[in-house]
């Protein structure tokens, strides 16, 4: 670990194996067991730490979309907190971000899990605070609260969690009397959504737990601006990224915090090969067997437009779009899809291959290591991000090229650190930024 004050990109890597396609699982049935083993993620975490990445991020959802399960095997899976606890002891510096829902978890359980991980990792854990987009029927609810109320619940949930952490401080010794000062106290929290007595049954670690958040609605952005240290986002192009970045910084300052207190970290999916031609073949092969009807149903669920009976060459024009609807899915993704159509006037074939339909609206690069580095450098120069969450796609080839070529090139350009500078994730996030 070297001393340095250089500010650099913040780079996280998804712990969901986005590089494993459904078609490959059918060809290699044994791979299904492999990606549910601790050894698989231990090896991955060691590679990521050797590359000096900031953290490994485990997304999560408390439901399973049966229709998409065979197409997206990385969706769902192992419990984030349990997975991190199983693999963190094999590393020394890299951070781990666990996802916990504020709608379905009790605050006491969340507070205890996160503080336990904070101890087990010695300050290297972060919390991805999510509400929910689906899954309510797995928890005795028929409908979800509207987005604004979900964030009200999340705010109160976070307040309860913080109060529980403070309710059990580390014991200190009084210098004069040599008596142990415990500071244990009940919180007796009585709010609109939660009633919790406390105190927590595990003491607070000496380093705080940084917060991450992924909501892009106005309520989500305000929540992040008020509380978060980092925000995950879907920004499929640079113009969208710049708008989002500027808006988050404005909201953060308006909330009374410092500019750049919230690190903007878009998802970055990439298909990498030694040549662009190979990379495009990898992309096409990965999606060759995807059922187009799933994509058509996804489009219709977001913007109420059925394209399934039209020729693939049909141009989608803005005037074909129905009025916006209340979607049970992400309003942000619906807005991004409408934006793509209005901006590009795509054919149906183009639309089906777009990141908005075929990649969760993430920033996407198909090409060589140099292509990816150039794209990252451009986004940094234009202030579209403070870093990114790496989502290697297509095959392990994309993952290995990222580790072995992309990261060293970012170091050479002065965009990323050569070695770790801080021990805990909280400390590291304070010094990140371009």
């Amino acid at each position: 670990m070297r001393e340095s004050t250089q500010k650099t990109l913040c780079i996280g890597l998804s712990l969901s194996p986005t590089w494993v396609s459904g078609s490959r699982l059918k060809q290699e049935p044994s791979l299904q067991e492999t990606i549910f083993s601790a050894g698989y993620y231990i090896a991955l975490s060691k590679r990521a730490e050797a590359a000096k990445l900031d953290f490994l991020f485990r997304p999560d959802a408390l439901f399973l979309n049966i229709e998409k399960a065979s197409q997206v095997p990385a969706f769902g899976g192992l419990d984030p907190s349990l997975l991190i606890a199983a693999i963190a002891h094999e590393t020394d510096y890299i951070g781990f971000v666990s996802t916990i829902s504020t709608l379905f978890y009790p605050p006491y359980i969340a507070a205890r899990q996160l503080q336990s991980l904070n101890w087990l990792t010695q300050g290297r854990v972060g919390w991805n605070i999510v509400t929910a987009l689906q899954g309510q029927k797995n928890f005795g609810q028929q409908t979800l609260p509207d987005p604004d109320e979900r964030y009200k619940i999340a705010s109160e949930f976070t307040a309860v969690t913080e109060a529980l952490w403070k309710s059990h401080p580390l014991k200190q010794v009084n210098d004069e009397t040599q008596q142990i000062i415990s500071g244990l106290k009940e919180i007796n929290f009585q709010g609109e959504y939660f009633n919790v007595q406390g105190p927590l049954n595990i003491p607070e670690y000496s380093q705080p737990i940084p917060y991450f958040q992924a909501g892009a609605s106005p309520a989500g952005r305000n929540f992040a601006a008020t509380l978060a240290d980092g925000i995950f986002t879907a920004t499929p192009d640079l113009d969208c990224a710049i708008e989002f970045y500027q808006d988050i910084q404005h909201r953060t300052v308006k909330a009374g915090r410092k500019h750049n207190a919230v690190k903007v970290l878009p998802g970055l999916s990439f298909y990498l090969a030694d040549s662009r031609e190979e990379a495009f073949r990898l992309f096409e092969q990965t999606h060759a067997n995807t059922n187009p009807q799933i994509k058509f149903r996804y489009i219709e669920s977001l913007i109420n437009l059925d394209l399934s009976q039209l020729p693939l060459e049909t141009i989608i024009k803005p005037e074909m779009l129905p009025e916006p609807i209340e979607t049970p899915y992400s309003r942000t993704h619906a807005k991004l899809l409408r934006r793509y159509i209005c901006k590009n006037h795509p054919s149906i074939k183009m639309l089906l291959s777009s990141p908005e339909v075929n990649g969760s609206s993430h920033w996407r690069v198909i090409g060589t290591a140099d292509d990816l580095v150039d794209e990252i450098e451009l986004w940094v120069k234009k202030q579209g991000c403070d870093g990114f969450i790496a989502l290697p796609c297509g095959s392990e080839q994309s993952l290995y090229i990222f580790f072995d070529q992309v990261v060293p090139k970012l170091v050479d350009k002065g965009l990323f650190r050569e070695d770790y500078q801080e021990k805990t994730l909280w400390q590291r996030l304070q010094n990140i930024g371009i």
Side-chain angles (χ1 to χ4, degrees), residues 221-247:
R221 295 185 190 200
N222 285 334
F223 182 82
T226 303
L227 291 171
D229 301 288
I231 183 166
F232 303 142
T233 180
T235 48
D237 59 58
L238 183 54
D239 289 341
C240 182
I242 293 171
E243 180 280 324
F244 187 89
Y245 189 93
Q246 292 175 346
D247 184 62

Side-chain angles (χ1 to χ4, degrees), residues 287-332:
H287 299 284
N289 297 319
T290 302
N291 184 349
Q293 292 304 316
I294 294 177
K295 296 181 183 180
F296 285 130
R297 285 193 288 272
Y298 176 71
I299 293 170
E300 187 174 8
S301 72
L302 289 180
I303 59 175
N304 197 29
L305 183 62
D306 182 6
L307 303 174
S308 61
Q309 303 304 314
L310 298 176
L312 292 179
E313 295 74 25
T314 304
I315 301 299
I316 309 302
K317 298 179 180 179
E319 53 265 30
M320 295 172 63
L321 291 170
E323 289 297 313
I325 60 170
E326 274 298 320
T327 171
Y329 304 102
S330 170
R331 294 189 299 181
T332 298

Side-chain angles (χ1 to χ4, degrees), residues 159-430:
V160 177
T161 303
E162 291 179 340
L164 285 167
W165 287 337
K166 297 298 181 186
S167 73
H168 195 156
L170 271 174
K171 293 181 179 180
Q172 300 175 342
V173 177
N174 186 301
D175 291 336
E176 294 182 2
T177 65
Q178 296 301 302
Q179 290 182 330
I180 294 177
I181 305 171
S182 69
L184 282 169
K185 59 183 182 296
E186 295 179 353
I187 64 170
N188 292 316
F189 188 100
Q190 296 184 9
E192 184 176 355
Y193 302 102
F194 301 105
N195 292 293
V196 182
Q197 177 180 300
L200 194 63
N201 60 358
I202 180 174
E204 185 177 25
Y205 190 72
S206 59
Q207 288 290 310
I209 295 172
Y211 298 156
F212 297 82
Q213 203 268 331
S217 67
R221 295 185 190 200
N222 285 334
F223 182 82
T226 303
L227 291 171
D229 301 288
I231 183 166
F232 303 142
T233 180
T235 48
D237 59 58
L238 183 54
D239 289 341
C240 182
I242 293 171
E243 180 280 324
F244 187 89
Y245 189 93
Q246 292 175 346
D247 184 62
I248 287 296
Q249 301 311 325
H250 172 76
R251 292 172 191 263
T252 301
V253 173
K254 188 177 179 181
R257 303 175 68 194
K258 292 181 180 179
H259 176 82
N260 205 39
V262 183
K263 314 304 177 187
V264 178
L265 306 172
L268 172 52
S269 66
F270 46 84
Y271 298 76
L272 300 180
D274 293 333
S275 70
R276 291 176 184 173
E277 293 75 18
E278 290 178 64
F280 275 97
R281 279 199 296 272
L282 176 64
F283 174 78
E284 291 171 353
Q285 291 167 2
T286 302
H287 299 284
N289 297 319
T290 302
N291 184 349
Q293 292 304 316
I294 294 177
K295 296 181 183 180
F296 285 130
R297 285 193 288 272
Y298 176 71
I299 293 170
E300 187 174 8
S301 72
L302 289 180
I303 59 175
N304 197 29
L305 183 62
D306 182 6
L307 303 174
S308 61
Q309 303 304 314
L310 298 176
L312 292 179
E313 295 74 25
T314 304
I315 301 299
I316 309 302
K317 298 179 180 179
E319 53 265 30
M320 295 172 63
L321 291 170
E323 289 297 313
I325 60 170
E326 274 298 320
T327 171
Y329 304 102
S330 170
R331 294 189 299 181
T332 298
H333 285 82
K335 182 178 178 181
L336 288 171
L337 182 56
R338 294 179 68 90
R339 175 183 174 274
Y340 175 81
I341 291 171
C342 291
K343 181 179 179 181
N344 297 284
H345 298 189
S347 67
I348 293 177
K349 184 177 181 180
M350 287 174 56
L351 185 64
L352 294 178
S353 296
S354 70
E356 286 79 357
V357 174
N358 199 28
S360 299
S361 295
H362 287 308
W363 175 15
R364 186 171 71 196
V365 175
I366 305 171
T368 66
D370 285 330
D371 290 330
L372 181 54
V373 171
D374 289 345
E375 183 80 357
I376 293 169
E377 188 173 27
L378 175 63
W379 279 47
V380 171
K381 181 180 179 181
K382 297 293 186 179
Q383 290 192 318
C385 65
D386 294 302
F388 55 88
I389 305 300
L391 305 167
C393 295
S395 72
E396 278 87 352
Q397 172 182 258
S398 295
L399 180 66
Y400 299 148
I401 291 176
F402 176 70
F403 283 143
D404 299 336
Q405 298 182 42
V406 174
V407 174
K409 289 175 184 289
L410 292 174
V411 173
D412 290 342
K413 286 179 173 287
L415 294 171
F416 194 58
R417 75 172 90 76
E418 189 176 359
D419 204 348
Y420 288 110
Q421 301 163 27
E422 305 87 7
K423 179 70 175 178
T424 71
L425 184 56
W426 169 265
Q427 293 169 328
R428 194 172 304 144
L429 286 169
Q430 308 316 302

Side-chain angles (χ1 to χ4, degrees), residues 128-141:
N128 177 36
I129 305 173
V130 300
T131 56
L133 291 176
Q134 294 183 61
Q136 69 276 9
K137 293 182 179 179
N138 293 329
F139 296 88
Q141 303 175 29

